[in-house]
Amino acid sequence: MTDPILLRPHHALCLRFFEGKGYSEEYVNNAWNVLRTLRENGAFTVTAGPDVLCAACPNLGKNGLCRWQEKITRYDADAAEKLGLKDGGTYDFNAFSKTRAKELVPQICTDCEWAYICTKE
Ligand code: SF4
């Protein structure tokens, strides 16, 4: 069995709307691979720190913090609460619908530059 993928809570939302846009080519290629694996396998484990997307992101500092850490901490806490995700818990990526994710994005990702992608009709 494949090991579950480590994901920050708000990335369980972001990935549902991923359409190939991101911070660098490496980030985008990695995100497609993560999404493919999640669609096939489904399982992810929640982490409060850098995850499998951050690992290929140019915004992750050497100190393990995101360039927008304050905002990211807020998104993660809010997404974890609204989706009922606990740090270290393993969940099925496909257990909540895209419709539910679309409902949550405007409540959580209020100042995210990519939110237009996740909320478009
Ligand atoms: S480092 Fe920051 S911007 Fe990059 S994927 Fe992680 S949370 Fe998102």
Side-chain angles (χ1 to χ4, degrees):
M1 180 171 154
T2 323
D3 286 337
I5 288 176
L6 277 183
L7 275 190
R8 319 181 77 113
H10 86 274
H11 283 164
L13 293 173
C14 305
L15 274 169
R16 267 153 225 282
F17 304 99
F18 183 67
E19 57 175 32
K21 296 191 176 74
Y23 304 108
S24 67
E25 195 180 334
E26 189 191 353
Y27 178 91
V28 168
N29 290 339
N30 178 57
W32 279 129
N33 287 335
V34 170
L35 190 55
R36 197 173 309 116
T37 308
L38 278 170
R39 281 180 177 151
E40 283 164 11
N41 176 19
F44 72 94
T45 297
V46 174
T47 178
D51 67 0
V52 71
L53 291 186
C54 302
C57 181
N59 298 311
L60 183 69
K62 289 198 183 357
N63 58 2
L65 296 177
C66 175
R67 183 175 170 191
W68 300 292
Q69 189 62 45
E70 180 275 326
K71 184 166 85 170
I72 295 311
T73 302
R74 175 163 39 93
Y75 292 171
D76 281 340
D78 217 3
E81 190 200 323
K82 289 184 165 63
L83 290 168
L85 304 176
K86 306 263 181 260
D87 192 18
T90 298
Y91 301 89
D92 179 1
F93 182 71
N94 304 306
F96 69 96
S97 67
K98 196 167 175 176
T99 308
R100 174 73 176 133
K102 202 163 191 171
E103 197 180 285
L104 291 176
V105 166
Q107 299 171 35
I108 297 171
C109 316
T110 49
D111 46 0
C112 176
E113 67 181 298
W114 307 106
Y116 74 95
I117 295 173
C118 316
T119 51
K120 69 186 174 191
E121 292 305 318

